[in-house]
Amino acid sequence: MTLLAFLVSFGAVTLAEMGDKTQLLAMAFATRYRFLHVLLGVFFATVANHALAVAAGNYLTRFQSAEGWIQGLAAFSFILFGLWTIRGDTLEGQDKKPTRYGPVITVAIAFFIAELGDKTQLATFALAARFPAHPLGILMGTTLGMLVADAFGIGFGVLLCKRIPEETIKVVSAIVFFLFGFYGVFQVSREMFFLSMHLAVVILVVLALITGVSVKIIRQASKREEKQIECLLKDPEKNVSELSGLSKTSPGLRPPSPN
């Protein structure tokens, strides 16, 4: 069971980190510091950050009367992570903040702050609640998943992004999260709440419909945002103030500098 918790944690966090802002942060730092220094900073930050998430998730499961609801919310959260993945993430200048420390500490501090409340930390929290008997396996799996994803992003991301569209990576990762979530909800419905097979299937169908509608809304909003940006970029000098306003409501967007 420890091996299962480790493998699920490793796979889930590796997928969650693909395209996440912390992976973008690691890739940005790799342009300033040595590869090994960046990975060491990521390692120290991840161990500290995910240890807090594992401890919090594990603590909640001690309330036995609420265990079913906690397990159900943990499973449902994977569906939300899938939607988060479809929406995408952005880097908001954490890599450009001045620092007086060395590269490892600089990366560790920036990464720890960026990871607070991030998708991968919340996924770790959910995994700890899902596998409360194996906190060490969860911590090891999520930490290794972060290192592998960030090393992949630094070492192969630029090359592979030319061959594998970012949208494809997002869709595949989101589908895996949805499958984790649907299976977890079904398992909790049957084993924790002792619902009939018929009712459990109905719940899954409703969840699938809601998820499908949510994905459609997110994708339509993204397309509208892209069209709006494209229109503004046609005349950056005229529309720079408008684009600046848009960047406040759309994280990561920045107005271009006129040539």
Side-chain angles (χ1 to χ4, degrees):
M1 189 66 176
T2 302
L3 179 61
L4 176 62
F6 171 81
L7 292 176
V8 171
S9 301
F10 171 74
V13 169
T14 300
L15 289 172
E17 181 67 357
M18 291 297 181
D20 193 64
K21 69 179 179 182
T22 44
Q23 187 189 49
L24 301 177
L25 185 63
M27 293 170 69
F29 273 128
T31 64
R32 298 170 54 189
Y33 306 125
R34 292 182 179 179
F35 177 80
L36 182 58
H37 288 165
V38 174
L39 280 191
L40 281 174
V42 169
F43 172 76
F44 291 133
T46 300
V47 170
N49 194 289
H50 288 197
L52 293 175
V54 169
N58 190 265
Y59 176 75
L60 280 181
T61 60
R62 297 184 181 183
F63 299 95
Q64 294 184 356
S65 60
E67 184 177 0
W69 291 105
I70 293 171
Q71 294 279 355
L73 288 173
F76 179 72
S77 67
F78 282 103
I79 299 175
L80 298 181
F81 297 146
L83 294 174
W84 193 341
T85 301
I86 291 290
R87 178 181 177 273
D89 215 339
T90 55
L91 182 62
E92 298 178 352
Q94 290 96 331
D95 61 312
K96 295 181 174 60
K97 294 179 180 178
T99 177
R100 67 180 74 176
Y101 308 108
V104 175
I105 296 177
T106 297
V107 173
I109 292 174
F111 205 88
F112 181 87
I113 294 173
E115 183 70 1
L116 291 173
D118 195 51
K119 179 172 50 180
T120 43
Q121 187 193 40
L122 296 177
T124 302
F125 176 88
L127 287 162
R130 192 78 180 86
F131 300 96
H134 307 284
L136 185 58
I138 298 296
L139 181 59
M140 291 173 61
T142 58
T143 300
L144 182 60
M146 292 288 286
L147 290 175
V148 168
D150 291 335
F152 176 87
I154 294 169
F156 305 103
V158 175
L159 176 64
L160 290 180
C161 280
K162 295 178 181 178
R163 304 190 176 201
I164 305 176
E166 182 183 356
E167 186 68 18
T168 301
I169 297 175
K170 283 184 180 181
V171 170
V172 171
S173 299
I175 288 174
V176 173
F177 274 118
F178 292 150
L179 291 176
F180 273 146
F182 292 146
Y183 175 75
V185 169
F186 178 79
Q187 190 177 37
V188 170
S189 299
R190 295 283 290 158
E191 297 179 5
M192 293 284 185
F193 293 102
F194 306 105
L195 299 181
S196 65
M197 176 68 75
H198 176 74
L199 187 54
V201 170
V202 169
I203 291 174
L204 283 184
V205 171
V206 172
L207 269 179
L209 290 174
I210 294 174
T211 301
V213 171
S214 300
V215 169
K216 186 175 181 180
I217 291 173
I218 291 171
R219 291 174 73 88
Q220 287 178 342
S222 296
K223 288 180 180 179
R224 285 197 301 268
E225 189 175 279
E226 288 173 3
K227 288 181 179 179
Q228 188 175 3
I229 296 169
E230 186 179 350
C231 291
L232 293 174
L233 288 176
K234 287 180 180 179
D235 191 353
E237 292 186 8
K238 180 180 178 181
N239 297 305
V240 67
S241 60
E242 295 181 43
L243 192 57
S244 298
L246 180 62
S247 69
K248 296 177 182 179
T249 58
S250 302
L253 296 178
R254 296 289 181 270
S257 299
N259 293 326

